[in-house]
Amino acid sequence: DADVTQTPRNRITKTGKRIMLECSQTKGHDRMYWYRQDPGLGLQLIYYSFDVKDINKGEISDGYSVSRQAQAKFSLSLESAIPNQTALYFCATSDRRLADSTDTQYFGPGTRLTVL
Amino acid sequence: DAKTTQPPSMDCAEGRAANLPCNHSTISGNEYVYWYRQIHSQGPQYIIHGLKNNETNEMASLIITEDRKSSTLILPHATLRDTAVYYCIVKAFGNEKLTFGTGTRLTIIP
């Protein structure tokens, strides 16, 4: 979905390096998410944010941190990258509608991260 | 959230209807059935969701059994671009986490 963009799309880094993945959205959604996907597996939630002052840990937050700089921007950082953080990383936004009790998530194109 | 069971893979001829089943026998009354798909290594794409009534949109139809213990996603006229992994997810409104299992790898055969 072109409304959710991620940079960089591919990144190769070395063990111990700090790296930041960035996500921007033009959908106007309040909620944003970071997921990782390992080969052949489903997605796992790392962090999510309801707004710029509300950050929450997901199921695999260890080794990661996030920053919600604005409603439209949500960054994921690896302070000291390790090889088992090699994965596909996806950002998503959510359109929560109380009127019909639905909250659909829309995903960015992903960042392929390799930690050597 | 309730656990889902899907066949690991399916084939469908191009132009035919693709019917993807999903079992969710432990679904709770407030949980919705969502379907997403992931083409190659792209970001997952929302397809459709429902609570208990059958639903249809421009992409697909969702048939939920009366007891809500299973559902079927129907792609009415499959094309080669529908080749993807399809995920059936059961989630309550307000739960932030989408639990992706291993899904069904659907291959459309020319």
Side-chain angles (χ1 to χ4, degrees), chain A residues 29-43:
Chain A
H29 295 164
D30 290 331
R31 288 169 161 76
M32 297 187 72
Y33 308 79
W34 276 104
Y35 290 86
R36 69 173 275 174
Q37 184 175 32
D38 294 288
L41 301 179
L43 280 69

Side-chain angles (χ1 to χ4, degrees), chain A residues 61-94:
Chain A
S61 59
D62 288 347
Y64 301 94
S65 62
V66 291
S67 173
R68 186 80 183 268
Q69 302 96 321
Q71 186 202 34
K73 296 184 181 297
F74 193 35
S75 301
L76 176 72
S77 293
L78 288 68
E79 296 300 327
S80 180
I82 56 177
N84 74 1
Q85 291 177 313
T86 293
L88 265 174
Y89 289 83
F90 293 103
C91 174
T93 71
S94 173

Side-chain angles (χ1 to χ4, degrees), chain A residues 31 33 35 37 42-43 45 48 50 59 88 90 96-98 100-105 107-109 112, chain B residues 32 34 36 38 40-46 49 87 91-102:
Chain A
R31 288 169 161 76
Y33 308 79
Y35 290 86
Q37 184 175 32
L43 280 69
L45 182 63
Y48 59 99
F50 293 154
E59 55 189 325
L88 265 174
F90 293 103
R96 174 165 293 188
R97 299 198 301 266
L98 293 175
D100 57 3
S101 299
T102 60
D103 47 4
T104 301
Q105 292 189 19
F107 288 80
R112 185 175 297 278
Chain B
Y32 288 75
Y34 283 80
Y36 283 77
Q38 187 174 24
H40 195 44
S41 294
Q42 299 176 21
Q45 178 188 23
Y46 165 78
H49 74 280
Y87 297 97
K91 189 180 81 69
F93 178 71
N95 186 340
E96 298 301 325
K97 187 177 74 171
L98 283 175
T99 301
F100 287 80
T102 52

Side-chain angles (χ1 to χ4, degrees), chain B:
Chain B
D1 290 332
K3 181 179 177 179
T4 62
T5 303
Q6 299 177 252
S9 64
M10 294 180 61
D11 293 337
C12 178
E14 186 178 17
R16 303 296 294 269
N19 295 274
L20 291 88
C22 180
N23 287 318
H24 31 78
S25 59
T26 60
I27 191 170
S28 300
N30 65 338
E31 290 180 320
Y32 288 75
V33 180
Y34 283 80
W35 283 85
Y36 283 77
R37 72 180 182 183
Q38 187 174 24
I39 298 173
H40 195 44
S41 294
Q42 299 176 21
Q45 178 188 23
Y46 165 78
I47 302 173
I48 198 168
H49 74 280
L51 183 62
K52 53 184 177 182
N53 298 321
N54 297 336
E55 302 288 345
T56 295
N57 63 19
E58 64 279 5
M59 290 183 67
S61 295
L62 174 61
I63 308 298
I64 303 174
T65 58
E66 191 170 346
D67 63 7
R68 302 209 323 125
K69 293 184 177 182
S70 65
S71 60
T72 301
L73 178 73
I74 301 172
L75 307 178
H77 304 288
T79 71
L80 298 179
R81 290 184 297 180
D82 292 322
T83 292
V85 178
Y86 287 76
Y87 297 97
C88 169
I89 299 167
V90 173
K91 189 180 81 69
F93 178 71
N95 186 340
E96 298 301 325
K97 187 177 74 171
L98 283 175
T99 301
F100 287 80
T102 52
T104 295
R105 181 173 298 278
L106 175 67
T107 302
I108 306 302
I109 310 296

